[in-house]
């Protein structure tokens, strides 16, 4: 993540919004379910109303506004069953938003519409983003953000993948075909989940936490926070500084964030990014690709000259917006869905 993300988060939080709308709810027939049965671990206060929702109109995507959700301190998941023949595969979706807000439709419900049309169960995670815009210097960094600086979002992701595996039989899911897909900050969380599944960041609360939370496959779309230079920027924000331990000779552009410890057990991964992405630099995908390849992890990466950032699944004249078909073919090649 580069300093430009600060400006983006300010736009997310304040710019181009219609009047605040009621708390976000999924479409009829779907219900949000709290992922924690009691108190959430590492709870943080929020500065405004819980589940603060607004429509962004001044930065439309493919000519359409999009909906953001903020001040999330009570995380939920929403399960979308397949519309077509069930393949047995499931995907937990992490919307992006700089760990400040969630682009809940652009990078959430619209993704579930696509996945369910392909026979894949979609689980939309509304993870915790109780942070304040711009990483305030007056508070310990951060109230929300990338792990390890902030554990909350990754705790929610670990919990949710375990819950999906625990409920797999009930939801007609193959427990060996559960993947994760995320955008921007959510793309970083895909990488974090792919490398931090060996132990939970929180004490177990029930039987679901005894299930493995390793994803069987991972899809990161215009991810951030993955290169060493991006991680250094993150570590130096706010009142509390974090020390990144890495060799002095490490390549800061193509070296990997040391808090993303890739091993041969990291799941097969799909990466996509635009070279003109001025929010999360293409080096984030390149650094992760290099580390995955060196570790012998099956990885497929697609880079495009144009596309920018935060385009979701909305089609434009740019070729990069045809990426869902690439993911479908890749899922077939790794045996997650029929070819």
């Amino acid at each position: 993540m580069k300093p430009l993300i600060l400006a983006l988060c300010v736009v997310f939080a304040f710019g181009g919004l219609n009047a605040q709308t009621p708390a976000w709810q999924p479409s009829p027939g779907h219900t949000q379910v709290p992922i924690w049965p009691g108190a959430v671990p590492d709870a943080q206060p929020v500065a405004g109303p819980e589940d603060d929702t607004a429509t962004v109109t001044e930065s439309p995507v493919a000519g359409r506004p999009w909906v953001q959700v903020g001040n999330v301190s009570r995380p939920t998941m929403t399960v979308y069953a397949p519309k077509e023949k069930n393949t047995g595969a499931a995907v937990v979706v992490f919307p992006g938003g700089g760990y400040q807000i969630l682009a809940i439709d652009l990078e959430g419900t619209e993704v579930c519409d696509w996945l369910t049309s392909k026979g894949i169960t979609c689980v939309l995670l509304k993870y915790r983003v109780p942070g304040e815009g711009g990483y305030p210097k007056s508070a310990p960094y951060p109230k929300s953000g990338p792990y390890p600086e902030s554990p909350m979002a990754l705790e929610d992701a670990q919990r949710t993948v375990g819950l999906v595996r625990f409920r797999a039989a009930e939801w007609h899911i193959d427990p060996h075909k559960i993947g994760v897909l995320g955008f921007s900050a959510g793309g970083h969380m895909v990488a974090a989940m792919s490398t931090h599944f060996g132990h939970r960041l929180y004490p177990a609360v029930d039987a679901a936490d005894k299930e493995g939370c390793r994803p069987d496959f991972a899809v990161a779309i215009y991810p951030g926070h993955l290169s060493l230079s991006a991680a250094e920027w993150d570590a130096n924000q706010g009142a509390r500084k974090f020390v990144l331990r890495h060799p002095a000779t490490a390549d800061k552009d193509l070296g990997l964030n040391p808090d993303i410890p890739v091993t041969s057990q990291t799941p097969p991964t799909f990466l996509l990014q635009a070279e003109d992405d001025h929010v999360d630099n293409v080096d984030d995908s390149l650094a992760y690709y290099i580390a995955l390849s060196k570790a012998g992890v099956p990885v497929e990466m697609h880079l495009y000259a144009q596309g920018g950032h935060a385009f979701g699944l909305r089609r434009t004249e740019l070729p990069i917006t045809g990426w869902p078909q690439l993911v479908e073919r890749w899922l077939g090649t790794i045996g997650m869905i029929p070819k």
Side-chain angles (χ1 to χ4, degrees), residues 200-221:
R200 303 294 178 107
L201 302 181
Y202 56 90
V205 297
D206 57 24
D209 290 329
K210 297 179 181 179
E211 295 285 344
C213 65
R214 177 187 178 273
D216 295 303
F217 59 91
V219 179
I221 308 299

Side-chain angles (χ1 to χ4, degrees), residues 29 31 38 55 74 85 103 141 144 153 163 176 185 204 217 224 262 306 308 319 322:
T31 303
T55 301
R74 295 190 294 273
K85 184 178 180 180
Y141 172 83
S144 59
L163 279 168
H176 303 295
F217 59 91
V262 170
Q306 294 179 289

Side-chain angles (χ1 to χ4, degrees), residues 19-301:
Q20 302 301 98
T21 56
W24 176 80
Q25 293 292 335
S27 57
H30 302 98
T31 303
Q32 295 186 77
V33 179
I35 64 171
W36 300 100
V40 300
D42 296 303
Q44 295 286 335
V46 296
E50 163 71 14
D51 204 8
D52 187 23
T53 305
T55 301
V56 181
T57 57
E58 290 185 4
S59 55
V61 177
R64 294 156 50 197
W66 52 277
V67 176
Q68 70 168 47
V69 175
N71 290 344
V72 178
S73 60
R74 295 190 294 273
T76 67
M77 65 178 181
T78 305
V79 179
Y80 295 78
K83 297 175 183 175
E84 300 298 328
K85 184 178 180 180
N86 188 359
T87 63
V91 174
V92 180
V93 173
F94 309 140
Y99 287 110
Q100 298 294 308
I101 59 93
L102 302 177
I104 200 70
D105 60 346
L106 176 67
E107 297 170 349
T109 58
E110 294 174 16
V111 183
C112 290
D113 288 341
W114 158 56
L115 290 170
T116 56
S117 74
K118 303 302 175 182
I120 300 170
T121 298
C122 181
V123 180
L124 175 57
L125 175 60
K126 190 179 74 177
Y127 57 90
R128 280 176 285 172
V129 285
E132 298 174 3
Y135 302 116
K137 301 290 183 181
S138 60
Y141 172 83
K143 287 187 176 179
S144 59
Y147 179 80
E149 287 91 339
S150 178
M152 290 93 70
L154 184 54
E155 289 170 342
D156 295 344
Q158 289 182 329
R159 170 74 178 166
T160 301
V161 172
L163 279 168
V164 173
R165 194 158 275 133
F166 183 69
R167 306 285 290 274
E170 177 186 350
W171 294 342
H172 307 289
I173 293 168
D174 184 332
H176 303 295
K177 294 184 177 182
I178 298 172
V180 290
L181 184 155
F183 302 80
S184 192
H188 167 265
M189 197 148 73
V190 163
M193 276 296 299
S194 297
T195 54
H196 291 279
F197 51 79
H199 71 279
R200 303 294 178 107
L201 302 181
Y202 56 90
V205 297
D206 57 24
D209 290 329
K210 297 179 181 179
E211 295 285 344
C213 65
R214 177 187 178 273
D216 295 303
F217 59 91
V219 179
I221 308 299
Y222 43 85
H225 308 275
L226 296 181
S227 70
L228 180 54
S229 61
E232 285 189 332
W233 186 85
D234 284 329
N236 284 293
Q237 304 309 303
R240 181 182 178 191
K241 309 300 181 183
F242 289 81
V243 177
L244 285 180
R245 303 188 184 281
H246 59 83
T249 57
D251 185 329
K252 292 189 177 183
D253 293 323
L254 296 181
L256 185 65
N257 178 344
D259 293 312
I260 302 294
V262 170
T263 71
S264 61
Q265 297 304 304
T266 300
T269 299
F270 179 101
L271 296 166
L272 178 123
Q273 198 151 18
E275 294 180 31
D276 65 351
D277 186 334
H278 300 303
V279 175
D280 289 316
N281 194 285
V282 71
D283 288 347
D284 287 303
S285 284
L286 288 167
Y288 195 38
Y289 174 87
I290 291 169
L292 291 167
S293 182
K294 286 182 177 179
V297 176
V299 56
E300 181 168 316
M301 180 172 65

